Amino acid sequence: NAGVTQTPKFRVLKTGQSMTLLCAQDMNHEYMYWYRQDPGMGLRLIHYSVGEGTTAKGEVPDGYNVSRLKKQNFLLGLESAAPSQTSVYFCASSYGQLSNYGYTFGSGTRLTVV
Amino acid sequence: EDQVTQSPEALRLQEGESSSLNCSYTVSGLRGLFWYRQDPGKGPEFLFTLYSAGEEKEKERLKATLTKKESFLHITAPKPEDSATYLCAVRGYSSASKIIFGSGTRLSIRP
């Protein structure tokens, strides 16, 4: 009963490096989301997907790209990391727009950009 | 624009001391208000969904209520294991595909 799995759990990057965060869900959910969480600012939506092959911008999309090639996976990419992207990143999934059960979250990736 | 404000930012209670957390929201037609619990180093965990004013949901020592402008999370006789950050989120008609989160209330229960 894995739910939502994020890899890696921790990562340190140098400014300008690139990386991909992987999110995998085994609940057959249609919707998937990437959030970042910063102290005092709560969870902010980066990008989301309403189904396989679709992506859309959220509140803070600049500097990030995403792909949803398979229904169960949602990838978040940083092409050229900046210190402002130091944050904790959470992936979430949901069955539909009006899910009574809200979102299921992963355990997060703590990213530090130096 | 949909908006969620939670208060207080932090709350320290003695074990057994009941209190309430507040979530004020502005949304263009509420399609759902959500409460989550988040423990340090973990992702948020879903607690409740409320849809209309007057609705209430309960789970153990927690009860969530909803009015047209705000929601309250009442904690009755809390225990140290209730210590966590509690997040409120809303989904409105203008943002049907996604929900907007508040910044949370950090709750500490002293034994």
Side-chain angles (χ1 to χ4, degrees):
Chain A
N1 190 18
V4 177
T5 302
Q6 291 183 234
T7 53
K9 294 188 184 304
F10 302 94
R11 185 72 184 268
V12 178
L13 283 180
K14 293 183 179 180
T15 298
Q17 287 186 318
S18 63
M19 77 163 294
T20 299
L21 282 66
L22 172 64
C23 176
Q25 53 96 2
D26 61 359
M27 297 169 287
N28 202 35
H29 284 172
E30 288 291 336
Y31 290 65
M32 297 188 74
Y33 314 83
W34 275 107
Y35 282 88
R36 60 178 289 173
Q37 188 173 40
D38 302 292
M41 301 191 73
L43 286 158
R44 292 182 291 168
L45 183 65
I46 304 171
H47 286 281
Y48 65 100
S49 169
V50 300
E52 181 179 313
T54 74
T55 63
K57 294 180 179 180
E59 183 184 358
V60 288
D62 294 341
Y64 305 95
N65 56 75
V66 289
S67 64
R68 183 99 181 267
L69 298 179
K70 294 183 178 180
K71 184 178 183 178
Q72 64 268 33
N73 295 337
F74 196 28
L75 278 63
L76 177 71
L78 286 73
E79 291 185 346
S80 180
S84 60
Q85 294 178 305
T86 294
S87 186
V88 181
Y89 292 85
F90 287 100
C91 176
S93 69
S94 66
Y95 182 74
Q97 287 188 13
L98 300 180
S99 170
N100 287 332
Y101 301 100
Y103 294 176
T104 301
F105 281 85
S107 57
T109 295
R110 185 173 295 274
L111 175 66
T112 302
V113 182
V114 297
Chain B
E1 184 176 326
D2 298 345
Q3 199 165 7
V4 179
T5 303
Q6 291 188 247
S7 61
E9 287 187 15
L11 181 62
R12 297 188 68 184
L13 300 173
Q14 199 70 34
E15 183 173 1
E17 180 185 2
S18 301
S19 188
S20 298
L21 313 182
N22 177 264
C23 171
S24 297
Y25 65 90
T26 303
V27 67
S28 56
L30 182 68
R31 299 191 79 174
L33 184 142
F34 306 86
W35 281 98
Y36 288 82
R37 170 191 171 126
Q38 185 174 22
D39 293 301
K42 296 188 177 181
E45 177 185 349
F46 172 78
L47 292 173
F48 306 109
T49 306
L50 302 168
Y51 291 104
S52 57
E55 189 174 359
E56 298 182 352
K57 293 275 180 73
E58 285 189 67
K59 181 179 181 179
E60 296 181 358
R61 295 175 291 281
L62 300 176
K63 183 169 81 172
T65 61
L66 181 64
T67 72
K68 290 187 177 180
K69 293 184 178 181
E70 56 191 352
S71 177
F72 293 93
L73 184 65
H74 306 279
I75 302 175
T76 302
K79 298 182 178 181
E81 53 262 41
D82 294 321
S83 297
T85 296
Y86 290 86
L87 302 173
C88 174
V90 297
R91 174 184 282 131
Y93 279 94
S94 64
S95 59
S97 297
K98 52 193 183 292
I99 61 178
I100 308 299
F101 283 84
S103 55
T105 293
R106 190 170 62 254
L107 177 66
S108 299
I109 309 298
R110 301 189 299 271

